[in-house]
Amino acid sequence: MGRGKIAIRRIENQTSRQVTFSKRRAGLLKKTHELSVLCDVQIGLIIFSSTGKMCEYCTEPWRMDQIIERYQKVTGTRIPEHDSREQIYNELTRMRKETSCLQRSMRGYTGEDLSSVPYEDLDQLEQQLEHSVDKVRARKNQLLQQQLDNLRRKEQMLEEENSKMYHWIKENRAVLDYQQAAIEVKPVEHHHQMLDQFPFFGEEGPNSVLQLSTIPSASPIWPPAHSTPPSRFKYLGLKLTLVHSPSSS
């Protein structure tokens, strides 16, 4: 039993259509090559698939452009050459017209050169400007509301931090008072300890470190030369050298 005839019409199923195209394209290329070799003819075959993919066959050693040029000579037809200069000129003219229209529109939006604008266009321009102003105001109010919300959140955060700091100080007030009292007492004790390091002769010594500079030079502030320098000056890191002048001897 022979195979039945296939109806020559477009295959609706895309997968079946693609499979049929691949099989028949291979068969067509095979038959074209056989015809070219067996009959010694020049054949140029160009195939474009439904997806735009190109497939071609050309009899060796010819090239496809040679086959096309021979076809043009025989038939007397020419593929029109694309003049890029004319296309550029047309594109430039179109852009100039669009630029001129845009400039007129911009002058209308800025209120310039309205003497030649008719009443209907002025009314339409007024509506467009009012609509634009409404959109600008709405956006402005939205930004202001966002800034206000951010400031409120920052205020709430600062209040929470202030409340935490207040409770912390309240809980640790006794410790802070003790540390403050220790800081105030410590400098006074240090001054008394420094005054005790120096032996003073006379009716009374200075009450503070600042009174050391007011002591007269005639008052002896150092033991006699034969005595040993006290070790307390070594603790202060001071190096003193006694010089006996002739007048004193």
Side-chain angles (χ1 to χ4, degrees):
M1 183 174 180
R3 189 173 59 178
K5 284 187 176 183
I6 299 176
I8 304 301
R9 63 173 181 270
R10 184 177 183 272
I11 301 174
E12 298 298 333
N13 188 289
Q14 184 177 1
T15 304
S16 301
R17 185 169 62 248
Q18 184 65 28
V19 172
T20 303
F21 171 74
S22 299
K23 291 181 178 181
R24 299 215 172 197
R25 179 189 58 186
L28 178 60
L29 292 175
K30 181 179 179 182
K31 294 295 183 181
T32 303
H33 176 69
E34 292 176 355
L35 178 61
S36 174
V37 174
L38 294 175
C39 301
D40 192 17
V41 296
Q42 291 78 38
I43 302 176
L45 176 65
I46 301 176
I47 303 173
F48 287 98
S49 66
S50 58
T51 58
K53 185 177 180 181
M54 186 188 72
C55 180
E56 64 178 15
Y57 174 83
C58 183
T59 302
E60 295 180 355
W62 290 68
R63 299 191 308 272
M64 183 61 68
D65 56 346
Q66 294 176 341
I67 297 291
I68 294 175
E69 184 179 0
R70 186 176 180 183
Y71 168 80
Q72 291 176 352
K73 289 180 180 179
V74 173
T75 58
T77 58
R78 280 283 179 182
I79 298 176
E81 297 181 358
H82 185 67
D83 192 355
S84 58
R85 291 177 297 177
E86 183 179 357
Q87 183 181 7
I88 293 174
Y89 177 78
N90 294 333
E91 186 69 18
L92 182 61
T93 304
R94 183 185 63 82
M95 294 179 65
R96 284 177 178 174
K97 291 181 180 179
E98 291 182 356
T99 303
S100 179
C101 293
L102 290 174
Q103 289 177 352
R104 286 197 300 269
S105 299
M106 291 299 298
R107 287 196 296 268
Y109 285 120
T110 56
E112 301 176 359
D113 193 14
L114 298 178
S115 58
S116 60
V117 181
Y119 177 80
E120 291 79 7
D121 294 342
L122 289 175
D123 185 49
Q124 183 179 3
L125 179 61
E126 181 181 6
Q127 294 178 3
Q128 292 177 356
L129 290 175
E130 289 178 353
H131 181 67
S132 300
V133 170
D134 292 338
K135 293 176 65 176
V136 171
R137 287 175 179 172
R139 178 57 179 168
K140 181 180 177 181
N141 294 332
Q142 182 181 4
L143 293 177
L144 290 175
Q145 185 65 34
Q146 291 178 359
Q147 293 179 1
L148 182 61
D149 294 339
N150 292 334
L151 291 176
R152 287 176 178 173
R153 284 194 293 269
K154 290 182 180 180
E155 181 183 6
Q156 184 178 2
M157 292 173 61
L158 291 175
E159 289 179 354
E160 293 178 356
E161 291 180 1
N162 190 16
S163 178
K164 292 179 181 179
M165 183 65 67
Y166 173 76
H167 290 297
W168 184 86
I169 294 175
K170 187 176 180 181
E171 294 174 356
N172 299 273
R173 179 170 295 277
V175 179
L176 294 176
D177 293 341
Y178 175 77
Q179 292 178 353
Q180 183 66 25
I183 292 174
E184 293 177 355
V185 173
K186 187 175 182 180
V188 177
E189 296 178 352
H190 178 69
H191 290 167
H192 287 293
Q193 292 176 2
M194 182 177 292
L195 292 175
D196 294 339
Q197 301 295 329
F198 296 92
F200 291 95
F201 299 91
E203 297 180 356
E204 61 177 324
N207 296 326
S208 65
V209 179
L210 296 178
Q211 293 182 1
L212 288 173
S213 60
T214 61
I215 300 175
S217 59
S219 301
I221 60 172
W222 187 256
H226 61 272
S227 63
T228 304
S231 61
R232 63 188 67 180
F233 285 99
K234 297 181 180 180
Y235 175 78
L236 292 175
L238 299 175
K239 182 178 181 181
L240 301 178
T241 304
L242 296 179
V243 179
H244 298 277
S245 60
S247 60
S248 59
S249 60

